[in-house]
Amino acid sequence: YSKSKGKSQFVRYNDKLGEYVFSQADMINQLRIAIERNEFVVYFQPIVCAKAEKISGYEALVRWIHPHRGMISPGQFIPIAEASGQMIEIEQLIIEECFKNLKLLISLNPEMKYVSINLSARGIIERNIVKFLENLLLKYNLDPKFIEFEVTESSLLNNIERTVEVLDRIKEMGFKLSLDDFGTGFSSLNYLKNLPLDKVKLDKSFIDNIETDERDHLMVKSIIELSHRLGLLVVGEGVETKNQRDLLYILECDFIQGFYYGRPEPIAN
Ligand code: C2E
Ligand code: MG
Ligand code: MG
Ligand code: MG
């Protein structure tokens, strides 16, 4: 579908998609209000231990609940928020929401070990990120071992030196770190070697055809072996079928995330 861009302040209703299509300018205005009112809600998707088939942790996935237009997915607004410089503020709201909810999540599921939070490119190199996280740990009296941050390869392309420096600090503080959407970037292996990672999240695009495509199967097998040799744990993303799950289990993938085990959902209260 074509996104309406440019000067139009009007919002069109796209019948096919059943959703409103914002113009870019309108989106930026609406985001400003959304930040003021904190219209962002964090959904949590289970990440399951492949062997025990028990919930190991949750990934925090943001949704924007617009008062008139309903739920807007991150794919629709994050690229615009990043371009407009609004992502830092949104991300800080999300991170605080996760810290605030952690004890509730643990009380609902005492076996869970972490919440995993996506960190944007700009968020990592934001000057105050370390101080911000230190303050939040104190405010909510949390142990950082319960929190992971996910960074994507594409988010690391700019300012790699500064990025590594901040990620090292974040690790020193006791947080865990995973490389998201692994295999979709340009220098995946370089990042495996140079970043202070705990986990690798194998992108859904490798998993989709793992049952039928011998090459995908071989790639997944090799990536898991390589990761393990480097002392990293592996999460398979976007697992939708039992067969995909079983194949990953046989290949010794450590964790499984996907609709097969559960969709992202808000905390019931
Ligand atoms: P991601 O971090 O790779 O998150 C996984 C995405 O795959 C999520 O989409 C999740 O709902 C979806 N997913 C999980 N399992 C399955 C499955 O079995 N099948 C299918 N078809 N999809 C599955 P979502 O929630 O729309 O988020 C999209 C992306 O937006 C995320 O990709 C992440 O890059 C970004 N994002 C989401 N929340 C945040 C956030 O709080 N901060 C930042 N910086 N980025 C976020
Ligand atoms: Mg992620
Ligand atoms: Mg991912
Ligand atoms: Mg992804």
Side-chain angles (χ1 to χ4, degrees), residues 158-261:
N158 300 307
N159 218 335
I160 182 72
E161 268 173 42
R162 169 92 183 114
T163 301
V164 172
E165 191 186 306
V166 174
L167 295 182
D168 281 339
R169 273 297 290 134
I170 286 178
K171 275 285 294 215
E172 281 164 22
M173 289 170 73
F175 296 106
K176 300 270 190 333
L177 206 64
S178 46
L179 187 57
D180 203 357
D181 302 345
F182 181 76
T184 59
F186 290 111
S187 42
S188 312
L189 295 181
N190 212 6
Y191 290 129
L192 270 199
K193 198 177 109 183
N194 293 315
L195 296 179
L197 299 169
D198 300 285
K199 275 185 198 148
V200 162
K201 300 191 77 174
L202 202 59
D203 193 70
K204 181 179 190 312
S205 58
F206 291 104
I207 313 280
D208 283 339
N209 301 315
I210 192 178
E211 295 152 271
T212 50
D213 190 324
E214 223 170 288
R215 293 174 144 255
D216 278 342
H217 187 266
L218 195 57
M219 296 269 275
V220 169
K221 181 173 156 51
S222 307
I223 292 170
I224 292 171
E225 278 173 11
L226 175 64
S227 301
H228 284 166
R229 283 180 188 225
L230 293 170
L232 304 169
L233 296 167
V234 182
V235 184
E237 283 194 293
V239 175
E240 296 183 345
T241 68
K242 177 168 190 327
N243 205 11
Q244 288 171 344
R245 186 224 88 90
D246 290 346
L247 282 172
L248 285 168
Y249 174 72
I250 290 165
L251 296 178
E252 294 184 33
C253 186
D254 305 281
F255 303 100
I256 310 278
Q257 180 180 357
F259 295 171
Y260 175 66
Y261 281 118

Side-chain angles (χ1 to χ4, degrees), residues 2-260:
S2 68
K3 268 186 203 148
S4 62
K5 277 188 184 149
K7 294 172 192 76
S8 167
Q9 291 286 336
F10 294 99
V11 175
R12 295 182 297 120
Y13 188 78
N14 184 325
D15 277 328
K16 247 202 199 134
L17 288 169
E19 65 187 13
Y20 282 98
V21 179
F22 290 78
S23 75
Q24 189 136 327
D26 186 44
M27 173 81 88
I28 291 169
N29 281 329
Q30 296 288 322
L31 277 171
R32 191 176 305 128
I33 299 166
I35 292 167
E36 271 165 30
R37 299 187 187 154
N38 192 1
E39 294 172 354
F40 303 98
V41 175
V42 181
Y43 279 40
F44 295 92
Q45 183 180 30
I47 300 170
V48 174
C49 171
K51 205 174 279 174
E53 290 203 278
K54 282 187 179 151
I55 291 174
S56 163
Y58 294 90
E59 178 171 3
L61 294 159
V62 69
R63 273 91 182 93
W64 174 13
I65 313 292
H66 190 282
H68 308 304
R69 295 167 201 177
M71 190 193 290
I72 302 165
S73 67
Q76 287 176 275
F77 71 88
I78 286 182
I80 293 173
E82 285 188 332
S84 66
Q86 292 167 304
M87 194 55 200
I88 300 291
E89 281 178 280
I90 295 173
E91 195 153 78
Q92 294 193 344
L93 290 173
I94 297 165
I95 294 172
E96 175 144 17
E97 196 64 23
C98 290
F99 277 46
K100 200 187 282 174
N101 278 313
L102 186 64
K103 284 182 176 158
L104 179 59
L105 272 173
I106 295 171
S107 73
L108 292 171
N109 186 345
E111 284 176 19
M112 70 149 250
K113 297 182 182 70
Y114 56 88
V115 164
S116 199
I117 307 172
N118 292 284
L119 207 53
S120 70
R122 283 288 312 283
I124 298 166
I125 56 173
E126 163 68 15
R127 212 158 32 87
N128 296 319
I129 179 78
V130 169
K131 193 81 212 141
F132 172 76
L133 293 175
E134 278 171 1
N135 288 340
L136 275 191
L137 283 178
L138 290 174
K139 181 171 175 187
Y140 294 101
N141 186 27
L142 294 177
D143 187 332
K145 76 174 183 193
F146 286 110
I147 292 149
E148 292 190 6
F149 288 102
E150 301 189 4
V151 296
T152 62
E153 294 178 45
S154 55
S155 75
L156 301 176
L157 285 177
N158 300 307
N159 218 335
I160 182 72
E161 268 173 42
R162 169 92 183 114
T163 301
V164 172
E165 191 186 306
V166 174
L167 295 182
D168 281 339
R169 273 297 290 134
I170 286 178
K171 275 285 294 215
E172 281 164 22
M173 289 170 73
F175 296 106
K176 300 270 190 333
L177 206 64
S178 46
L179 187 57
D180 203 357
D181 302 345
F182 181 76
T184 59
F186 290 111
S187 42
S188 312
L189 295 181
N190 212 6
Y191 290 129
L192 270 199
K193 198 177 109 183
N194 293 315
L195 296 179
L197 299 169
D198 300 285
K199 275 185 198 148
V200 162
K201 300 191 77 174
L202 202 59
D203 193 70
K204 181 179 190 312
S205 58
F206 291 104
I207 313 280
D208 283 339
N209 301 315
I210 192 178
E211 295 152 271
T212 50
D213 190 324
E214 223 170 288
R215 293 174 144 255
D216 278 342
H217 187 266
L218 195 57
M219 296 269 275
V220 169
K221 181 173 156 51
S222 307
I223 292 170
I224 292 171
E225 278 173 11
L226 175 64
S227 301
H228 284 166
R229 283 180 188 225
L230 293 170
L232 304 169
L233 296 167
V234 182
V235 184
E237 283 194 293
V239 175
E240 296 183 345
T241 68
K242 177 168 190 327
N243 205 11
Q244 288 171 344
R245 186 224 88 90
D246 290 346
L247 282 172
L248 285 168
Y249 174 72
I250 290 165
L251 296 178
E252 294 184 33
C253 186
D254 305 281
F255 303 100
I256 310 278
Q257 180 180 357
F259 295 171
Y260 175 66

